[in-house]
Amino acid sequence: MAHYVINGGKRLEGVVTISGAKNAALAIIPATILAGESCLLENLPSIDDVRTLECILTRMGATVAFTPDGSMRVDPRGIRDYNVTFDMVRSLRASYYLLGALLGRYGYAKIALPGGCMIGQRPIDQHIKGMRALGATVTVENGMVTARADKLVGAEIYLDVVTVGATINIMLAAVGATGQTIINNAAKEPHVVDVANFLNMMGASVKGAGTDVIRVMGGRTLHGCSYAIIPDQIEAGTYMVLAAATGGDVVINNVIPTHLEAISAKLMEAGVKVIEGDDGREFFMRVTAEQIRPRPVNIKTLPYPGFPTDLQQPMMALLSVADGNSYIVENIFEERYNHVPELRRMGANIEINGRMATIDGVPKLSAAPLYASDLRAGAALIVAALMAEGESQVHNIGFIDRGYEYLEQKLRAIGADIRRVE
Ligand code: UD1
């Protein structure tokens, strides 16, 4: 398998442009199934997860084509197969959105339980609770979830945990239900809002996305549309951490600054300079690290607008060289510390006690061969390898390819010494 060879210790400087949001794209592509016509999706990231969804939709009978600028046109009218097998979804968490979209459109779906990063139990009980509340019969057998309904009817649903996946999935199914659905204790992440905006662009009525209560008036006939996906909050945050970690000065273009408030606040607390700007065409962030070692900071991962769990791992790599003790509490996923043994092999001093990590900052990390265990662990190892002087190799980069568009090219353009070895 391919790996990265990284010569760290170099200051990153220059401009990087953020791609479309992975987690929005992975919901919006399945949501096209709800349309009665073709949809054009712009600002899609060119990442493996998008290509996997393209293959799945094509195998189901949809027509999927890319325009020269990388936009994706999806025409769902040819879909005849509502079954999605495990070999199609083994690497993809977001395959569960096919359940809500197919159920909403055709009243039937049979989907293999989703794959994706191993960062905790990741049950889908809230998705199932929501579909059942809408009147679907849902069974889980032999690793497959089957949902069927002669008629979906809107309902009031209270989510027991704040979950992005279930919030979006219930929205998708509710668009196909008759009458009003109310989702209480909904997730408020930027991609939840983006999916709602896309559904509304197709003619749906989804109100309240971005708050705790989402109201969907279902049963409308949806039409095709063109839609541009929001910039990726997590990719932007990763480059912000990278700028800080290399004592760099990086302008990060194509961002929505409010989506980055939690990471900006923590970087500023760590002594990093973060400036928001608007060049007249788009917003940007400029991140400049003026001191060699960051100040220690404490982080609790929380649903949006709290600190995102997806940036906990890259941030821990940065804090491993902080001038003092930092504490991280991972509240979202119980096993999201698989990057820690790798950081320790680079000299980091990190103790894990349940959901709490104590990071006793060391002056510097040393280069090492590293193995990514999941997507954001991979991002953390890239941060660590770019900080450490000498040559590191980052293996298992298939995980990173799932979620970061042109990582190597973007990093090289801002001065990183990174090459991919096939
Ligand atoms: C999505 C993102 C992932 C991100 C996460 C949290 C995608 C494809 N993935 O994952 O990158 O880290 O949001 O922002 O968008 N839970 C239940 N029952 C359920 C569903 C979830 O108990 O039915 C729990 C989960 O185990 C977890 C928490 O709720 O502890 C949040 O999960 P959720 O927000 O659903 O995350 P994902 O959709 O899996």
Side-chain angles (χ1 to χ4, degrees), residues 23 93-94 96-97 122-127 161-165 189 191 309-310 332-333 336:
N23 288 345
R93 183 78 200 154
Y96 47 48
Y97 293 134
R122 307 189 85 175
I124 58 162
D125 57 303
Q126 300 301 304
H127 302 235
V161 284
V162 178
T163 133
V164 173
E189 266 67 1
H191 40 293
T309 171
D310 284 356
I332 310 295
F333 293 111
R336 206 163 204 181

Side-chain angles (χ1 to χ4, degrees), residues 22-24 26-27 49 92-97 119-129 159-168 187 189 191 233-234 302-304 308-311 330-334 336 355 375-376 402:
K22 162 185 169 280
N23 288 345
L26 299 186
D49 273 5
L92 189 67
R93 183 78 200 154
S95 54
Y96 47 48
Y97 293 134
I119 51 180
Q121 301 263 339
R122 307 189 85 175
I124 58 162
D125 57 303
Q126 300 301 304
H127 302 235
I128 293 173
K129 171 180 166 175
L159 294 176
D160 300 329
V161 284
V162 178
T163 133
V164 173
T167 301
I168 294 179
E189 266 67 1
H191 40 293
Q233 167 207 17
I234 305 302
L302 289 169
Y304 187 84
T309 171
D310 284 356
L311 289 174
E330 171 53 66
N331 286 310
I332 310 295
F333 293 111
E334 61 278 17
R336 206 163 204 181
R355 287 179 179 265
L375 169 59
R376 307 301 171 187
R402 282 189 39 217

Side-chain angles (χ1 to χ4, degrees), residues 8-13 243 246-250 287-290 386 414-416:
K10 296 187 173 51
R11 184 168 202 246
L12 299 186
E13 278 178 302
T246 59
D249 182 3
V250 180
V287 179
T288 315
E290 289 173 337
L386 285 167
I414 52 175

Side-chain angles (χ1 to χ4, degrees), residues 10 240-248 272 289 292 314 317-318 321 383-384 386-387:
K10 296 187 173 51
M240 290 170 74
V241 173
L242 276 163
T246 59
V272 177
I292 314 285
L318 169 68
V321 297
V383 173
L386 285 167
M387 285 194 306

